[in-house]
Structures are given as structure tokens and as C-alpha cells.
């Protein structure tokens, strides 16, 4: 397995770790164990600087035991409260915004750190109590344990206050939407890098590929799942003696079933599928979509929030309008980006790669299609959609204008099927004026 494939799999594994509630707390617990050991056997109070010694006064073993017991009991209580608040927040997020938004909450490093601090403090107190009798004669170690315990207790008190504020803020609709948008902005460079910045590759037209004299070999999916990452470098690095090029029929975010057509290799002589079995590792499949190579992932999250807000059960058009604003801002950010080319060729070996890629028009469709379909009975949302599309149109090139125009015409056609008062009809017509001027031009 090549280094690039291993790197791609490590990225997927790291993505799963970053959205877990156990990884950071476990690291912090290990740190508390190391600190406890250091206090017991390495650091002596007498070795501390003079300005720190007044902060760590000498105490008796009985007082330390009582202090450790009190802090340990309080911390396990605080930890249970924190876990309960977290589960309540996850439940509210699942019901209000959609189950796929839970990933964003689990990726919250503040929550993970708070849980880690509390569990680490409890573990520090527990280990200290266990070894207290063995260091009864070591006054310096006992004083250090007492000082660190008081310090951790103060930090935990501040932490629980911050956590209550953080949780109450994180479940607000505007904050959830802002977090999704910020996550998209922070990952634009990795989602849409310049694909041909590598001097070894260049983009070519699809007609450049030649498959007439090749021996096609189809590789099928070994299992079902979502495409999480594709290591394109593995296909570009194939030997020109064996293949003239390859075609990847899936892209990140697609769902494939077992035995589905995954890759077609155009070999220069007949080969068995076993000769290229390692290429299966270049396409990583998993049980869920990830944002690693999928620019539509964060867009889909914002769309899901808007759709739930427009549902009859929730009926919150203001949240939907906020989502539309963020979706428009996201599309404006990427409208001038260079999207990956459909076909690449290696400059030295002339091994080519044909693939399915993301396009700006496809992201616009993902962002606005379902929302405009759900907004049929919300005139204010339709007007806001038209105004947002007009703003987006002013930033886009000529190729994307047609896609935006189609969405505007569809919204206007949907509005004509509703019974509207004169003011609402006038608002729709006013919002359509920029598109009519564009059409006249």
C-alpha cells in the first residue's frame, strides 16, 4: 500500500477521532495520570521557586485526604451533569435541525475539553487517594497534591460555568447555522485546491483520451458504503507500460452498492483484476459521508436545517432565511474558485485520468433546489430566494448565470400557482426584475 493511500486512510481515521467524545478526554486523563505520578515521586516542594511556595502551603495527610475526597465527589457529580446536558443538547439538535447535524456538535472541541477536564480531575483525585498512605512521610508530595487539587477544583468551577453558557448558546439556530458556515469557510482550501498546481499533471479535454486500442478492465466495489475519499495520485502514478489511463465512476459523497462499477482501467494488454487489487484501497468507503473531499457536505447541512425550518411541524421561515443568506455567502466564496478538472494527464508518462468532479453549478443546485421546492407557500422566503440569487448572479461568470436563471424562473413559476394578494405579487415581480434585465441583455 502506497504512502498516499495510507495518508488518505489516516485522514478518514482522524476525522472519526475528531468527532468522538472519548479521544480528547482520554488524552487528558493520561496527562492527569502523568501529573499525579510526577507529584508523587519527582517534584519536591522545596525545589519550587520561592514565589510558588506560599501558594502551596504545608498540610497534614488527614486534610489532604478530606480535600481529595470532596473534590473527587464533586467532580464526578459535575461530570454526570455535563454528560446529561450534552445528551439533552444532542437530542434537541437531532429533533430541531436534523440527525446529521449531531456530527457538528460532537466535533465541538470545547465540549470535548470540558468533559476531559472533569474526568481528568476525578482520576487525579482517585489516584492520589490510592497512593496517599504510601507517601504519608513525604510532606512535599502531600503539599503538592493538595495544591494541584485546589487548582483543579478552581479550574473545574470556571469550566462548568463556561460549559452551561456554551451549551445554551450552541443549540441556538443562528449559532448552529454560523458553525456550519464557518466549517465550510475553513475547509475551502482543502475542498477546492488547485488540482493542477502539481507540475507533473495538467488538465486536458475529454477528447484527448484514447480508449480504442485498450483492453478495458472494470473493478467493482467490494462492499456497500459512501465514498469518503479518493486518492487520485495513485491512479496518476500507474505505470504507462500497463495502462494508458483510468476512469473513476464515483466521487466523494456518492453511495455505492456491492459489485457496483467503481473503476475502469484501460490496459495496454489483457490483465486480471487481481493485478490491480491495491487500487480498491485508493477509494475509501464508509458508513457515512464525510467533509474531507466533499464540498457539498456543509452545503447539505445548511439545506437540511432550512428544510426542517420550512416543514409544517416547525414552520420557522426566519431560520430558513438565515440559511439562505449563508448558502448565498458560501456560493459567492467559491464562485471564482478553480474547480478540479474532469480529465488529467501525467506530463511524463501520459497516463490519463478521467473522473467525476464537483462543479459550481452542481453546488448551486444542491444549495437552492430543495429549498425553493419547499418554499412554495412562503412568499417571504421566495422573495428572499430571488434576492439572494440576484446577488449571487452579480458575482458569477456567464456559465453559472444560466443555472441561477433557471432557479429564479422556477421560483417565479411556483409563485404563480399560489393565490397571492397584490402586495405579495408586487414583491415577487420586483424581485424578478434583475433576471428579466439579464434576459433582455
Amino acid at each position: 500500500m502506497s504512502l498516499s493511500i495510507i495518508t488518505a486512510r489516516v485522514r478518514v481515521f482522524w476525522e472519526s477521532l475528531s468527532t468522538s467524545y472519548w479521544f480528547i478526554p482520554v488524552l487528558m486523563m493520561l496527562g492527569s495520570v502523568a501529573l499525579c505520578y510526577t507529584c508523587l515521586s519527582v517534584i519536591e516542594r522545596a525545589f519550587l521557586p520561592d514565589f510558588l511556595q506560599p501558594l502551596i502551603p504545608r498540610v497534614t495527610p488527614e486534610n489532604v485526604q478530606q480535600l481529595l475526597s470532596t473534590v473527587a465527589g464533586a467532580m464526578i457529580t459535575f461530570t454526570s451533569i455535563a454528560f446529561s446536558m450534552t445528551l439533552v443538547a444532542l437530542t434537541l439538535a437531532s429533533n430541531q435541525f436534523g440527525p446529521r447535524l449531531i456530527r457538528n456538535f460532537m466535533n465541538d472541541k470545547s465540549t470535548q475539553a470540558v468533559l476531559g477536564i472533569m474526568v481528568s480531575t476525578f482520576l487525579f483525585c482517585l489516584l492520589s487517594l490510592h497512593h496517599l498512605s504510601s507517601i504519608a512521610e513525604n510532606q512535599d508530595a502531600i503539599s503538592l497534591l493538595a495544591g494541584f487539587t485546589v487548582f483543579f477544583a478552581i479550574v473545574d468551577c470556571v469550566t462548568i460555568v463556561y460549559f452551561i453558557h456554551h451549551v445554551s448558546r450552541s443549540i441556538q439556530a443562528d449559532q448552529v447555522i454560523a458553525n456550519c458556515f464557518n466549517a465550510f469557510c475553513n475547509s475551502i482550501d482543502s475542498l477546492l485546491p488547485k488540482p493542477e498546481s502539481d507540475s507533473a499533471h495538467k488538465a486536458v479535454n475529454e477528447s484527448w483520451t484514447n480508449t480504442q486500442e485498450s483492453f478495458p478492465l472494470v473493478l467493482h466495489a467490494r462492499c456497500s458504503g459512501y465514498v469518503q475519499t479518493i486518492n487520485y495520485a495513485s491512479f496518476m502514478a500507474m505505470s504507462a507500460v500497463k495502462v494508458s489511463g483510468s476512469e473513476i465512476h464515483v466521487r466523494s459523497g456518492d453511495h455505492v452498492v456491492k459489485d457496483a462499477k467503481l473503476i475502469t482501467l484501460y490496459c495496454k494488454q489483457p490483465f486480471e483484476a487481481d493485478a490491480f487489487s491495491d487500487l480498491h484501497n485508493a477509494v475509501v468507503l464508509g458508513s457515512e459521508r464525510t467533509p474531507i473531499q466533499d464540498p457539498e457536505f456543509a452545503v447539505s447541512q445548511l439545506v437540511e436545517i432550512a428544510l426542517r425550518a420550512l416543514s409544517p411541524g416547525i414552520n420557522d421561515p426566519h431560520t430558513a432565511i438565515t440559511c439562505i443568506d449563508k448558502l448565498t455567502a458560501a456560493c459567492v466564496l467559491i464562485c471564482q474558485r478553480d474547480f478540479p478538472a474532469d480529465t488529467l494527464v501525467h506530463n511524463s508518462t501520459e497516463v490519463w485520468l478521467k473522473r467525476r468532479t464537483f462543479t459550481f453549478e452542481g453546488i448551486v443546485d444542491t444549495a437552492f433546489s430543495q429549498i425553493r421546492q419547499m418554499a412554495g407557500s412562503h412568499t417571504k422566503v421566495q422573495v428572499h430566494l430571488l434576492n439572494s440569487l440576484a446577488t449571487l448572479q452579480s458575482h458569477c461568470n456567464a456559465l453559472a448565470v444560466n443555472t441561477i436563471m433557471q432557479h429564479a424562473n422556477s421560483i417565479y413559476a411556483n409563485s404563480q400557482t399560489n393565490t397571492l394578494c397584490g402586495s405579495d405579487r408586487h414583491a415577487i415581480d420586483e424581485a424578478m426584475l434583475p433576471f428579466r434585465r439579464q434576459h433582455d441583455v
Side-chain angles (χ1 to χ4, degrees), residues 91-368:
T91 302
L92 290 175
S94 178
N95 294 334
Q96 183 76 16
F97 308 113
R100 277 160 292 279
L101 269 296
I102 291 180
R103 179 194 171 281
N104 289 16
F105 285 84
M106 296 191 68
N107 193 37
D108 186 0
K109 297 301 184 293
S110 296
T111 301
Q112 297 176 18
V114 167
L115 297 178
I117 289 172
M118 294 183 178
V119 176
S120 298
T121 303
F122 172 74
L123 184 60
F124 179 87
C125 296
L126 192 65
L127 293 176
S128 300
L129 281 171
H130 183 260
H131 291 84
L132 192 59
S133 60
S134 64
I135 61 169
E137 304 300 327
N138 190 342
Q139 186 64 46
D140 284 342
I142 291 177
S143 300
L144 280 174
L145 287 177
F148 276 108
T149 302
V150 171
F151 173 75
F152 285 149
I154 295 173
V155 171
D156 288 335
C157 290
V158 175
T159 299
I160 193 66
V161 174
Y162 163 77
F163 184 65
I164 294 173
H165 164 76
H166 178 72
V167 170
S168 62
R169 215 179 144 205
S170 64
I171 60 177
Q172 297 176 16
D174 289 344
Q175 186 64 38
V176 174
I177 296 170
N179 290 340
C180 292
F181 176 72
N182 292 334
F184 178 79
C185 294
N186 294 334
S187 58
I188 285 181
D189 290 334
S190 61
L191 293 174
L192 296 174
K194 276 202 165 182
E196 288 73 56
S197 58
D198 189 347
S199 59
H201 309 148
K202 66 178 180 181
V204 294
N205 295 327
E206 183 179 342
S207 58
W208 192 93
T209 61
N210 183 14
T211 62
Q212 298 297 324
E213 300 179 359
S214 302
F215 298 88
L217 174 63
V218 179
L219 301 183
H220 299 276
R222 294 175 176 173
C223 61
S224 300
Y226 288 96
V227 179
Q228 295 181 332
T229 60
I230 301 176
N231 188 263
Y232 296 107
S234 300
F235 296 91
M236 298 301 298
M238 287 191 296
S239 172
V241 177
K242 292 184 177 181
V243 301
S244 58
S246 57
E247 182 178 0
I248 305 176
H249 303 287
V250 296
R251 68 181 185 184
S252 297
D254 287 349
H255 183 267
V256 298
V257 297
K258 186 178 180 181
D259 296 327
K261 192 186 216 180
L262 203 64
I263 306 163
T264 299
L265 301 175
Y266 295 93
C267 306
K268 294 185 176 180
Q269 56 184 317
F271 281 102
E272 295 294 331
D274 294 340
F276 300 96
S277 58
D278 288 345
L279 287 179
H280 283 282
N281 296 322
V283 181
V284 180
L285 301 179
S287 59
E288 59 185 4
R289 292 178 66 177
T290 64
I292 298 176
Q293 282 185 344
D294 188 359
E296 293 183 358
F297 183 85
V299 173
S300 299
Q301 288 186 326
L302 289 172
V303 170
E304 182 173 0
I305 297 174
L307 295 180
R308 283 185 170 260
L310 292 175
S311 64
I314 298 179
N315 194 21
D316 182 11
H318 295 287
T319 297
I321 289 174
T322 304
C323 291
I324 294 170
D325 291 336
K326 297 300 183 182
L327 288 169
T328 305
C331 291
V332 168
L333 285 176
I334 65 175
C335 65
Q336 304 298 332
R337 302 286 299 218
D338 292 328
F339 280 74
D342 292 335
T343 309
L344 297 176
V345 64
H346 198 285
N347 288 332
S348 58
T349 63
E350 293 191 349
V351 173
W352 52 267
L353 170 66
K354 184 180 177 183
R355 58 188 177 177
R356 291 181 58 229
T357 59
F358 294 94
T359 62
F360 176 72
E361 291 77 9
I363 293 179
V364 171
D365 287 338
T366 301
F368 296 105

Side-chain angles (χ1 to χ4, degrees), residues 46-57:
F47 296 158
L48 295 177
D50 294 338
F51 70 91
L52 286 180
Q53 291 190 16
L55 301 177
I56 306 177

